Amino acid sequence: MNEEDIYDVTIIGGGPAGMYAAFYAGMRDMKVKIIEGKDQLGGFLHTYAEKTIWDVGGLPPMKCSKLIEWLVQQANTFNPRIVLNCKVERFTRLNNGIWSMYTTEGDIHYTRTIIVAVGRGIAEIQKLELQEPIEYEQENLHYTVQNPEHFSGKRVLISGGGNSAVDWAIELAKLAHSVVVIHRNNEFRAMERNVSEMNNITDVRTPYSITQLHNNGKRIQQVVITHMESQDNVVLEVDEVVISHGYKSNLSDLASCGLEMDDGMVLMSHHAQTSLPGVFAAGDCATHESKVRLIAGAFNDAIVAVNSAKQYMTPDAPQMAYVSSHNEIFREKNRQIPSL
């Protein structure tokens, strides 16, 4: 192990928290590496690339794909080393305090600190729990919406109770002939304002679940929904069915590294410190009592994690980076921006 092989901070995960951590660590003049398990940065944001994002501070509403593009550009500001298609299997602390990180590909990465920002891990879609749905997945059964225009003028059924289901209901109501939303509970787990809008512009039915699919060839033509309490059935004529039941994720590898977990997530302090010295956490994979599960919250997690990592390495370092308007590291970069 040579000194040039050792990074100040290695970020596991290339989603919003990981990308912003890379940028902010660059502001703190740290040598940065990102290790991402997939073939591109962006993390879980890619699952709803066509959705419109409203709640990132200071940015106008935009497609999530555009937000990914801007985050990737920002993450590369200080030229971190980015390793794609690589999954960290475990990490151990050496006698000299350096962490060695072992990947499923057989490589070893060395780092002084670690920021775990794996989001929801390798997420698997929660599929419709019926015998026959797989045969319709190439036709009109969807687990995400890639092209909203595909639903124009059609009768759409959406099943789900979270933010994604509600957001897609609002989005598709502008295009579809009709949108019916069903949820197995009476309450939706989504932003109240969006739930109110959905109730005004779609046909919401609760508490119902899908119990049967009737086909015409390879396409679903009718869906039987059953009331969760009375067990009464209703038959709906449909053109397209969207299942938004969330994702299953498995972060058990992190527990095997010695990280303390809480309900499947990494437990961290308000300073982003985990149960392991020099290992910090940020984003959806982590939890504490004041956790904010928004993209904006992931950015804040990233800042706290980087600042804690910097002070772990250099205890007398300032608690945070200078703001960008006063930070000397941006002086030359500002000159390179034509509009300034």
Side-chain angles (χ1 to χ4, degrees), residues 46-49 125 142-147 151 168 242-243 247:
H46 285 288
T47 63
Y48 48 91
I125 294 172
H142 312 271
Y143 290 101
T144 186
V145 176
Q146 299 290 346
N147 178 18
F151 297 83
W168 283 129
V242 178
I243 305 300
Y247 292 78

Side-chain angles (χ1 to χ4, degrees), residues 32-63:
V32 182
K33 179 187 289 183
I34 300 176
I35 300 178
E36 165 57 43
K38 295 187 177 179
D39 61 358
Q40 58 186 334
L41 297 177
F44 195 72
L45 295 182
H46 285 288
T47 63
Y48 48 91
E50 291 305 312
K51 282 176 63 176
T52 301
I53 304 295
W54 284 79
D55 56 359
V56 179
L59 293 180
M62 67 179 67
K63 295 295 184 184

Side-chain angles (χ1 to χ4, degrees), residues 49-251:
E50 291 305 312
K51 282 176 63 176
T52 301
I53 304 295
W54 284 79
D55 56 359
V56 179
L59 293 180
M62 67 179 67
K63 295 295 184 184
C64 193
S65 56
K66 175 57 70 172
L67 179 61
I68 295 170
E69 182 182 324
W70 284 9
L71 284 171
V72 170
Q73 180 178 331
Q74 184 182 52
N76 279 286
T77 301
F78 300 104
N79 301 312
R81 185 183 172 196
I82 298 173
V83 182
L84 301 175
N85 291 313
C86 184
K87 184 177 183 295
V88 175
E89 191 173 41
R90 60 187 176 91
F91 43 82
T92 58
R93 194 165 182 248
L94 305 177
N95 291 334
N96 60 1
I98 299 298
W99 286 94
S100 57
M101 309 173 70
Y102 300 87
T103 71
T104 52
E105 292 72 28
D107 298 321
I108 305 176
H109 300 262
Y110 299 101
T111 186
R112 293 181 172 86
T113 64
I114 297 171
I115 295 177
V116 179
V118 296
R120 307 183 190 198
I122 305 300
E124 295 181 7
I125 294 172
Q126 296 253 41
K127 293 199 172 185
L128 186 61
E129 295 181 352
L130 294 177
Q131 292 297 320
E132 60 278 317
I134 191 168
E135 63 188 88
Y136 306 121
E137 291 177 9
Q138 301 302 316
E139 296 295 334
N140 62 339
L141 178 64
H142 312 271
Y143 290 101
T144 186
V145 176
Q146 299 290 346
N147 178 18
E149 295 294 332
H150 173 80
F151 297 83
S152 293
K154 295 182 179 179
R155 298 166 297 178
V156 180
L157 170 66
I158 299 177
S159 175
N163 281 301
S164 291
V166 173
D167 290 347
W168 283 129
I170 295 170
E171 191 85 13
L172 296 183
K174 305 169 188 174
L175 302 168
H177 175 269
S178 62
V179 175
V180 176
V181 182
I182 68 167
H183 180 34
R184 63 186 300 115
N185 298 314
N186 286 312
E187 300 296 325
F188 285 82
R189 308 177 312 278
M191 292 185 180
E192 294 91 338
R193 183 183 183 89
N194 290 347
V195 173
S196 296
E197 182 178 357
M198 175 189 68
N199 282 324
N200 289 332
I201 62 176
T202 70
D203 179 2
V204 177
R205 306 192 190 190
T206 62
Y208 279 93
S209 67
I210 296 174
T211 52
Q212 294 180 53
L213 303 175
H214 297 310
N215 68 313
N216 179 10
K218 295 183 178 180
R219 295 179 60 83
I220 301 169
Q221 185 176 42
Q222 294 178 329
V223 175
V224 178
I225 62 173
T226 301
H227 195 276
M228 301 298 295
E229 297 167 359
S230 69
Q231 297 302 303
D232 291 338
N233 292 331
V234 177
V235 178
L236 300 175
E237 301 285 336
V238 299
D239 299 309
E240 306 288 341
V241 178
V242 178
I243 305 300
S244 185
H245 292 174
Y247 292 78
K248 299 176 184 177
S249 62
N250 184 358
L251 302 178

